[in-house]
Amino acid sequence: MIDSKLQTASRLFVERFSPFLTHMITLNLLDTRINTHIRREGWAKGAIEHKESGLTDEAALASIRYFIEVLNFSLHGWRTRKNRYKDVCRILAIPVIEGTKGNKRRHFHVLLGNVPAAKLGELERLVADAWARTKWGMPGVNVIELYDGDGAAFYTGKEVGYHNEDAVLWQHASIPRRLAGARA
């Protein structure tokens, strides 16, 4: 398979962070949700009404943004809110969305790093709890420990340039300032 220029550039940029990546997470999204609320007017006052709503791109992006913030707080605690720790106590999370075009289920892969050693034993539970708190998160997450960050970069960039140019969601990535190359 020949890479497109955009796919190669995306893969090389993700590979820049590969020494710091420790896990890859797969998160599935619900296609539809049934919203339940109580109707207050009319003859059926107090009756329960069901409305089915479909997943939009904005809702999917809001879910991954919220997930990253909740997971960051679960792993690093209140230090994420304090200015002197804010740049150090931040997870490295690079989200990739797949299934926006074509017939695959919409899902995310998140390349994860900068996880505190004390929290590694409960990482899968923390990921599942954070994903369950989102509106569109489907139960059941997959957390894989990475041994080859470059291979993960190649795998997550497979849709870039062919199906979805914006598959790697850089605008929603969480990159600690010290890894991004900026000065503190």
Side-chain angles (χ1 to χ4, degrees):
M1 180 167 97
I2 300 172
D3 289 351
S4 72
K5 289 181 182 181
L6 184 61
Q7 187 177 29
T8 302
S10 178
R11 182 175 43 84
L12 290 174
F13 199 71
V14 172
E15 284 178 2
R16 172 181 176 200
F17 300 106
S18 66
F20 309 105
L21 298 172
T22 57
H23 294 84
M24 185 167 86
I25 304 167
T26 303
L27 307 166
N28 291 312
L29 291 157
L30 296 168
D31 291 332
T32 57
R33 249 182 70 202
I34 296 177
N35 299 328
T36 307
H37 67 282
I38 298 174
R39 278 190 291 173
R40 297 285 181 205
E41 64 270 345
W43 61 272
K45 188 173 181 179
I48 295 176
E49 182 179 338
H50 297 283
K51 290 185 177 177
E52 189 172 293
S53 57
L55 178 65
T56 62
D57 290 339
E58 294 81 21
L61 295 177
S63 292
I64 196 66
R65 249 191 334 264
Y66 184 72
F67 167 76
I68 289 173
E69 287 304 315
V70 169
L71 184 62
N72 190 45
F73 188 79
S74 297
L75 291 173
H76 289 287
W78 286 103
R79 292 177 291 174
T80 61
R81 307 280 195 254
K82 296 184 179 183
N83 284 333
R84 67 179 168 166
Y85 297 117
K86 194 182 260 185
D87 295 330
V88 177
C89 297
R90 187 109 193 113
I91 59 173
L92 170 62
I94 303 171
V96 178
I97 190 167
E98 291 185 4
T100 55
K101 296 178 176 86
N103 57 1
K104 282 198 300 189
R105 173 183 289 283
R106 208 174 312 192
H107 64 282
F108 289 104
H109 295 293
V110 180
L111 297 172
L112 186 67
N114 200 24
V115 177
K119 303 276 183 155
L120 284 174
E122 57 183 337
L123 180 64
E124 191 163 349
R125 181 188 62 78
L126 292 172
V127 167
D129 289 346
W131 188 239
R133 291 176 62 182
T134 64
K135 288 184 180 180
W136 293 92
M138 180 182 271
V141 298
N142 189 10
V143 180
I144 301 170
E145 190 171 350
L146 284 181
Y147 298 103
D148 181 19
D150 295 344
F154 182 78
Y155 178 76
T156 56
K158 66 183 180 262
E159 283 198 6
V160 176
Y162 294 106
H163 298 290
N164 184 5
E165 287 79 20
D166 299 324
V168 181
L169 302 171
W170 291 110
Q171 66 274 26
H172 302 294
S174 170
I175 301 174
R177 188 178 293 184
R178 64 186 169 85
L179 297 181
R183 295 182 183 216

